[in-house]
Amino acid sequence: MVLVAGDDVDHDLLQAAPALSRIASDAGFITTPAAGMQRFVDPFESTANQDVFLLYKAGGEFTPAQQEAFAERIRNGGGVVALHCSNVMGSVEPDAANSFATWFGVLGNHYLSHGPGYHKGMQRIEVVAQHPITEGVSDFELYDEFYEFEFADGDHEILAQRRRDQDGEIIPVLYTRELGAGRVVYLALGHDMRVWGDPSFQRLVRQALNWVAHRS
């Protein structure tokens, strides 16, 4: 399921669904596009039958009960590849009103800022680990929105990174983690069509989908 959700007008939710669905289909998946995060508690058949989710979430509602139902789906062997703005959330404190603590624990990070300087620009992505997701992908450049984030814990493997132009600080852009029997991938790239059409981005997403689905 290619799941698009949110209310952030800076992200092209309408174009995301077909563009990302094509990538998932090219990876060999029977793909269902869908909208909204209010689908995991008492789900319709179209959601209940899904094992793998490609997520582009730009704000919007995601209640704690829905977060927990989604988390349980992943713990039981599901997989999620979350892109770019899917880490933008409210409070990650467990007791806060409308807390995103459960989603923080599933995804493994939450957004902090765009970093110094203008919020978009050319990025050189360095592949730093051999992994089924990065197989056949060399370092590459693309124009995208800069994202910096905080990890939930140390349970992750960083596969790719970039370096800030201003000071050379290393910023992760792609990592994996496991949750029970399930698998999670976060890729900080993917703001708009310029990125969705990039061959290296597409290959990373295809291979990430196969990895979370336990497919070679």
Side-chain angles (χ1 to χ4, degrees):
M1 176 172 281
V2 173
L3 187 51
V4 175
D7 51 16
D8 182 350
V9 297
D10 188 49
H11 292 87
D12 193 348
L13 298 167
L14 294 177
Q15 294 301 319
L20 299 176
S21 292
R22 284 192 291 272
I23 296 174
S25 296
D26 288 345
F29 289 88
I30 298 172
T31 303
T32 301
M37 304 300 292
Q38 304 305 102
R39 60 179 55 250
F40 301 104
V41 175
D42 299 324
F44 289 119
E45 183 178 0
S46 60
T47 301
N49 290 339
Q50 304 304 320
D51 297 316
V52 173
F53 298 88
L54 177 56
L55 179 61
Y56 186 81
K57 178 185 179 298
E61 187 175 7
F62 195 16
T63 66
Q66 296 285 353
Q67 294 173 48
E68 180 56 41
F70 182 76
E72 189 65 17
R73 179 76 62 87
I74 304 303
R75 292 188 200 106
N76 288 334
V80 58
V81 177
L83 301 178
H84 191 54
C85 46
S86 300
N87 69 342
V88 179
M89 57 188 79
S91 175
V92 296
E93 297 300 321
D95 297 329
N98 300 317
S99 173
F100 282 79
T102 300
W103 176 230
F104 182 36
V106 172
L107 182 61
N109 88 83
H110 74 92
Y111 168 84
L112 292 177
S113 73
H114 295 301
Y118 187 62
H119 66 104
K120 297 178 184 176
M122 289 299 300
Q123 304 184 32
R124 179 169 179 80
I125 307 303
E126 302 172 357
V127 176
V128 296
Q130 292 184 335
H131 191 279
I133 295 175
T134 57
E135 183 177 354
V137 181
S138 302
D139 296 354
F140 62 99
E141 293 185 351
L142 79 178
Y143 186 92
D144 202 353
E145 191 171 44
F146 298 112
Y147 265 35
E148 299 186 11
F149 53 84
E150 179 181 44
F151 283 113
D153 50 46
D155 184 16
H156 54 261
E157 179 184 3
I158 296 171
L159 304 184
Q161 64 188 27
R162 63 177 176 87
R163 298 175 188 268
R164 276 192 197 149
D165 290 339
Q166 293 84 355
D167 54 15
E169 182 171 344
I170 294 173
I171 308 296
V173 299
L174 171 64
Y175 68 82
T176 67
R177 62 193 271 115
E178 300 195 21
L179 188 71
R183 290 177 169 180
V184 177
V185 174
Y186 175 72
L187 176 58
L189 306 175
H191 180 75
D192 58 22
M193 190 68 75
R194 286 171 291 190
V195 185
W196 305 333
D198 181 85
S200 295
F201 173 85
Q202 291 183 352
R203 182 159 187 163
L204 288 174
V205 173
R206 289 196 305 267
Q207 294 177 170
L209 288 168
N210 279 304
W211 183 76
V212 301
H214 298 266
R215 291 168 53 180
S216 60

